[in-house]
Amino acid sequence: MSDIAIRVENLSKRYRLGVKEEKQDTLVGSVLAMLKRPGQNLQRLRRLTRFADNGADEKDAMWALKDVSFEVKQGEVVGVIGRNGAGKSTLLKILSRITYPTAGRVELHGRVSSLLEVGTGFHPELTGRENIYLNGAILGMRKAEIDRKFDEIVDFSGIEKFIDTPVKRYSSGMGVRLAFSVAAHLEPEILLVDEVLAVGDAEFQRKCLGKMEDVAMGGRTILFVSHNMAAIGRLCPTSMLIERGRLTQMNDSDVIIRHYSATPQKATHFVKWDRDDAYGDDYLRILSVQFRDMDHNLVELIFQDMPFQIVIEYEVCQEMPNTNVGFRLEDDNGTIIFSSYDADNPDLSGVGRKPGFYQAICSIPGHFLNNASYALTVEAGIPHQRLCVRIERALTFEVRASLNGSGPAGRMGARRSGLLDPTLPWELISEYAETHAI
């Protein structure tokens, strides 16, 4: 028996685009266009369902997918990565049989459940309870199976008080809670998940990721579309990259994330101000904030296992008897993870600065920050007397998952829980079990 759960061969999907009508500048042109309009309208109606027989691209046709081929084995969890409009959602809609391909072939071996949009497959007039049974029946589940899972579904969704309320009265967050709970608990062999986890609150997103880990460990096949690289790295050993409707790579998730992240984007690794525009006062001004590697080169991408430096360049305009320069690091929610100042070095604590230009350099070791998004706020001044400057969120950046799993042996996966990823000293005392037996 084949171990293939999903097989896609030369899959293509073409859509007809709307074309802007040409506006006439003259009265004669307008009259001629009016006379031609019945024939043009007939051609448009025919083109709604027909494309050129020779397969040539037309000006009002777009290939959402083009010659996509891949295989996913049973029990695999595969991420689908790509920018907006790349064709990710179209792929999942074809696999879910919501739309049909223009060309190509799809084989699905097993019962399929899809969670593509909030409330997909839910009837707004029915209650949450009724929709659980309706959705389960659509997925091919028997009533006895749904009865067995019902309490678990409701408990996970966290909407027990509203289970007998019509779904049309649910908020979008309540809808996605129930939709995900049904899809994840009714045990399909294949689960297709689009970017829906971003709808729920932070606590529910964590529950969803934990549940998907449980589902993956249970041997079910998952295709997971997301723009959250941390979630992809955590859940998916393998990922595929779709660019402009074509499957360009399918490889280990770390490799795909690295390639995807290396695509040119707005730099957040370096900010610089002219002296006249610099942040500060008559005592001190911040001139630049930048990230460098340990060889003092500017870096654009920071990875988990990579040590790097935070460099703050500043100018002292008047002699200062005591100076502190430092930063605080926050997560996406504004929670302060830690702060650090140059006074942490005993040789710099309480030391004054004469007028001139300075660099304050703080080294961050590898395997200290976890793969997540961060913001850096920079500040400087005279301790307990004067805050000369504070630049909120001077830099925003993301730490990517380690590319090759480097690090101490036995690290469990590309991402540990938490925002920090320290390598701490451990020891094992082998005699303890003999002398302290319970």
Side-chain angles (χ1 to χ4, degrees), residues 66-280:
K66 186 70 172 178
D67 297 328
V68 173
S69 299
F70 63 89
E71 292 182 348
V72 178
K73 294 182 178 180
Q74 294 178 4
E76 278 193 313
V77 183
V78 178
V80 183
I81 298 173
R83 305 203 179 277
N84 291 331
K88 308 182 299 298
S89 296
T90 300
L91 172 62
L92 262 60
K93 286 178 180 178
I94 292 175
L95 296 179
S96 303
R97 300 185 183 93
I98 293 174
T99 187
Y100 289 93
T102 303
R105 184 167 176 265
V106 175
E107 290 183 20
L108 298 170
H109 300 277
R111 185 165 49 199
V112 179
S113 175
S114 58
L115 188 55
L116 308 184
E117 296 178 5
V118 176
T120 299
F122 278 22
H123 195 295
E125 299 294 336
L126 299 180
T127 66
R129 181 187 303 274
E130 292 166 338
N131 270 296
I132 290 175
Y133 282 92
L134 173 63
N135 206 249
I138 291 173
L139 294 175
M141 307 294 292
R142 297 185 178 183
K143 185 176 182 299
E145 294 179 87
I146 303 173
D147 288 339
R148 191 174 66 250
K149 288 282 185 177
F150 184 84
D151 290 340
E152 189 176 346
I153 293 170
V154 175
D155 181 66
F156 185 89
S157 68
I159 59 168
E160 297 91 340
K161 292 171 59 177
F162 308 98
I163 196 64
D164 291 308
T165 301
V167 168
K168 67 180 180 181
R169 306 196 188 283
Y170 285 11
S171 67
S172 60
M174 292 167 62
V176 77
R177 281 173 174 267
L178 188 59
F180 183 88
S181 299
V182 174
H185 286 83
L186 293 186
E187 299 184 355
E189 284 82 9
I190 301 173
L191 179 61
L192 309 175
V193 183
D194 205 343
E195 186 77 82
V196 296
L197 302 186
V199 180
D201 55 36
E203 180 184 359
F204 188 69
Q205 289 179 35
R206 289 192 291 270
K207 287 178 65 176
C208 289
L209 290 173
K211 182 61 181 179
M212 289 187 66
E213 287 181 327
D214 295 340
V215 170
M217 293 177 64
R220 280 178 272 175
T221 305
I222 300 176
L223 222 56
F224 180 45
V225 171
S226 180
H227 291 286
N228 186 331
M229 295 300 104
I232 291 283
R234 174 178 171 181
L235 291 172
C236 310
T238 304
S239 291
M240 62 178 74
L241 178 62
I242 297 180
E243 298 177 307
R244 297 182 180 180
R246 296 181 181 271
L247 176 60
T248 57
Q249 287 192 61
M250 188 168 181
N251 208 327
D252 292 343
S253 289
D254 286 345
V255 176
I256 299 298
I257 290 171
R258 178 184 183 184
H259 180 86
Y260 178 73
S261 302
T263 304
Q265 53 188 321
K266 182 179 179 181
T268 59
H269 64 288
F270 177 74
V271 287
K272 184 176 182 179
W273 299 275
D274 295 331
R275 291 180 66 186
D276 294 337
D277 299 326
Y279 288 84

Side-chain angles (χ1 to χ4, degrees), residues 255-360:
V255 176
I256 299 298
I257 290 171
R258 178 184 183 184
H259 180 86
Y260 178 73
S261 302
T263 304
Q265 53 188 321
K266 182 179 179 181
T268 59
H269 64 288
F270 177 74
V271 287
K272 184 176 182 179
W273 299 275
D274 295 331
R275 291 180 66 186
D276 294 337
D277 299 326
Y279 288 84
D281 60 11
D282 293 337
Y283 281 86
L284 185 148
R285 297 182 181 184
I286 301 292
L287 301 178
S288 75
V289 186
Q290 54 194 266
F291 295 144
R292 295 180 183 175
D293 62 21
M294 304 312 287
D295 295 323
H296 309 294
N297 300 311
L298 288 174
V299 293
E300 297 185 11
L301 296 175
I302 298 174
F303 295 94
Q304 243 177 309
D305 56 353
M306 168 185 156
F308 66 97
Q309 297 177 332
I310 298 172
V311 182
I312 304 169
E313 295 183 333
Y314 63 96
E315 178 185 8
V316 174
C317 305
Q318 298 183 33
E319 185 167 355
M320 300 176 66
N322 185 6
T323 307
N324 272 183
V325 176
F327 63 86
R328 69 169 186 259
L329 196 68
E330 304 174 1
D331 65 8
D332 275 342
N333 299 320
T335 302
I336 298 176
I337 300 167
F338 71 90
S339 58
S340 184
Y341 298 88
D342 58 0
D344 293 342
N345 182 341
D347 295 334
L348 299 178
S349 179
V351 176
R353 301 285 188 277
K354 293 183 178 181
F357 296 91
Y358 298 86
Q359 285 186 343

